[in-house]
Amino acid sequence: MIIDIISGARPNFVKIACLIKELKNNKFFNKFKIRVIHTGQHYNNNMSNIFFKELKIPRPDYNLNVGSGTYAFQIGSIMQKYEKIINKKIVLCIVVGDVNSTLACALIAKQNNIPVAHIEAGIRSNDLTMPEEINRILTDSISNYFFTTSVTANKNLIQLGISKKNIYFVGNTMIDTLKENLNSLKKPSFFNKFLLKEYNYILLTIHRPSNTKNLNSLRLLLENIVKFSKLNKIIFPCHPRLKKNMNVIKNISNNIIITNPLSYLEFNFLLLKCKVIITDSGGITEEATFLHKPCITLRENTERPETIEIGTNVLVGNSKNKLKKAFDELDRGLWKRGKIPAKWDGKTSKRISLILERILRN
Ligand code: UD1
């Protein structure tokens, strides 16, 4: 019997690392072949391989090598390629998060009568301009088992008519990985070169099409960040999507330090030691909440409301006023410390493994 675990993009690797370990540690799963499937959605060394190495994720059994392309190309190609390695022995397909690989593989599994377990199910931004939101809605609509990170996600699923008995509030596998690696975080080599001081620099990530498509708005956003951050250095690990616009970004200020995408251990070192993180990622708002780090989110909405309600996150969207207000609060030392959401305790993967054992025994 086979269990497939699907991953394709950077945040997926972080979510599957501890889960695979837990499944391998649980004797019940000895009788299953656990296949790690990498769709190849992310393929550069620093977007993919380094995560497998640092997080000690077993080498993928299959790499579908799909690469980059439009939404249709990526989803279509992953579906075709995954279909080719589907067989009758597969008893469960585990998908995580909301990337194109998640939806594509869930669809193929379901078409082949293979039950689908969705990890990080039920979260909603209600913003249908985000490809991830569409992926979430569609993946949840065909999944059999729903593992959630919050009570809000449970409520969202119940509202859709999903039976409570298939919804499991287990916590956050991303936090399992962060907790496990907290003592091994790595100072990037440029830290001393750029004379960075702990708690005295800003960490910035921007990758969403909504923030990167329009170069003038991106430039304005960066200019405002530079202005409000006063003399603090800004470390900006750039997603490959921004590569072609590097010239525009480079000339804005000497205080912006642009780097290649960082490894997991390096990025989270910088997150732990920064003064504030400014981001448009969803996962990073969760990591910031866990680390009690001030977090400014460059989005109008979030599918992770707990990071705002009880965590350290504030949404500023593209409002200059809100961004300024956030910096004022930070400078006055008024930032909320936040609390860690329930079950974000490093034991989520273990819970999932025990629940899956129960499901597969029946
Ligand atoms: C994907 C996810 C997003 C997640 C993000 C993390 C979807 C819809 N989006 O977005 O939810 O937050 O990953 O990074 O699945 N590229 C490379 N090398 C790589 C990977 C990408 O050069 O290894 C470039 C390609 O030019 C590509 C662009 O980056 O066109 C975007 O990659 P893509 O996989 O389409 O989506 P992400 O923006 O990374």
Side-chain angles (χ1 to χ4, degrees), residues 117-345:
H118 185 201
I119 292 173
E120 202 187 85
I123 60 175
R124 293 291 184 274
S125 65
N126 296 314
D127 175 357
L128 286 167
T129 64
M130 291 173 71
E132 293 85 355
E133 182 70 358
I134 298 168
N135 293 344
R136 287 178 203 122
I137 294 171
L138 297 179
T139 304
D140 282 339
S141 72
I142 53 170
S143 291
N144 298 71
Y145 309 109
F146 304 81
F147 294 93
T148 66
T149 50
S150 68
V151 178
T152 315
N154 280 39
K155 285 186 191 148
N156 292 339
L157 292 167
I158 290 165
Q159 255 179 22
L160 292 172
I162 287 161
S163 164
K164 273 186 189 171
K165 73 176 197 330
N166 294 326
I167 306 173
Y168 307 94
F169 171 36
V170 286
N172 196 323
T173 59
M174 235 182 173
I175 302 302
D176 291 1
T177 301
L178 185 54
K179 251 193 125 170
E180 176 152 312
N181 288 283
L182 260 188
N183 292 328
S184 337
L185 301 181
K186 264 194 219 149
K187 189 193 266 196
S189 55
F190 60 74
F191 198 89
N192 295 339
K193 182 176 148 207
F194 290 114
L195 307 174
L196 297 177
K197 291 203 197 85
E198 292 188 1
Y199 313 112
N200 232 335
Y201 62 87
I202 290 160
L203 184 59
L204 172 67
T205 80
I206 303 177
H207 77 285
R208 282 192 192 283
S210 55
N211 283 326
T212 55
K213 250 190 330 218
N214 182 325
L215 261 192
N216 285 334
S217 323
L218 177 63
R219 200 185 159 87
L220 197 66
L221 171 65
L222 291 172
E223 282 170 356
N224 285 333
I225 293 174
V226 169
K227 185 161 138 204
F228 300 140
S229 62
K230 300 181 184 123
L231 292 176
N232 279 298
K233 297 226 164 83
I234 300 160
I235 314 299
F236 185 13
C238 264
H239 187 279
R241 167 173 281 124
L242 280 164
K243 223 175 192 163
K244 58 182 187 300
N245 301 326
M246 216 49 104
N247 284 342
V248 180
I249 301 167
K250 256 186 191 154
N251 301 329
I252 292 176
S253 159
N254 288 337
N255 279 344
I256 303 185
I257 298 168
I258 296 172
T259 75
N260 284 325
L262 297 173
S263 78
Y264 180 82
L265 297 178
E266 289 182 328
F267 181 80
N268 281 286
F269 176 92
L270 290 180
L271 182 59
L272 185 66
K273 303 287 183 183
C274 71
K275 178 173 169 183
V276 57
I277 165 83
I278 305 180
T279 187
D280 62 2
S281 148
I284 293 173
T285 66
E286 299 182 333
E287 291 167 333
T289 283
F290 181 77
L291 296 173
H292 299 287
K293 282 280 142 188
C295 177
I296 299 175
T297 294
L298 305 168
R299 286 178 53 193
E300 305 290 344
N301 50 52
T302 177
E303 58 290 333
R304 293 159 162 98
E306 64 281 2
T307 62
I308 296 176
E309 288 153 12
I310 55 176
T312 53
N313 188 17
V314 294
L315 295 184
V316 301
N318 59 9
S319 156
K320 185 177 171 182
N321 286 341
K322 286 188 188 164
L323 185 65
K324 182 171 182 311
K325 188 165 166 257
F327 270 103
D328 286 346
E329 248 167 58
L330 190 67
D331 289 340
R332 285 161 49 215
L334 295 178
W335 205 274
K336 51 186 176 179
R337 180 175 151 76
K339 291 202 181 97
I340 297 176
K343 299 196 186 179
W344 292 18
D345 56 1

Side-chain angles (χ1 to χ4, degrees), residues 10-11 41-44 47 68 99-100 132 207 239-241:
R10 206 163 45 169
Q41 178 175 345
H42 285 176
Y43 46 87
N44 286 1
M47 299 287 285
S68 300
V99 303
N100 292 344
E132 293 85 355
H207 77 285
H239 187 279
R241 167 173 281 124

Side-chain angles (χ1 to χ4, degrees), residues 50-171:
I50 185 87
F51 285 76
F52 278 78
K53 204 168 138 204
E54 285 190 344
L55 302 179
K56 303 187 181 71
I57 305 171
R59 241 178 103 87
D61 296 273
Y62 291 89
N63 192 324
L64 307 182
N65 284 317
V66 65
S68 300
T70 62
Y71 192 71
F73 168 84
Q74 218 165 39
I75 299 225
S77 309
I78 296 170
M79 286 174 73
Q80 286 181 7
K81 291 182 168 194
Y82 184 44
E83 188 175 48
K84 288 203 177 112
I85 56 165
I86 286 281
N87 64 51
K88 292 220 155 59
K89 291 188 192 150
I90 307 171
V91 293
L92 184 68
C93 173
I94 302 177
V95 298
V96 296
D98 53 19
V99 303
N100 292 344
S101 307
T102 309
L103 172 61
C105 293
L107 277 170
I108 286 300
K110 199 64 190 181
Q111 284 291 354
N112 286 276
N113 291 322
I114 298 164
V116 174
H118 185 201
I119 292 173
E120 202 187 85
I123 60 175
R124 293 291 184 274
S125 65
N126 296 314
D127 175 357
L128 286 167
T129 64
M130 291 173 71
E132 293 85 355
E133 182 70 358
I134 298 168
N135 293 344
R136 287 178 203 122
I137 294 171
L138 297 179
T139 304
D140 282 339
S141 72
I142 53 170
S143 291
N144 298 71
Y145 309 109
F146 304 81
F147 294 93
T148 66
T149 50
S150 68
V151 178
T152 315
N154 280 39
K155 285 186 191 148
N156 292 339
L157 292 167
I158 290 165
Q159 255 179 22
L160 292 172
I162 287 161
S163 164
K164 273 186 189 171
K165 73 176 197 330
N166 294 326
I167 306 173
Y168 307 94
F169 171 36
V170 286

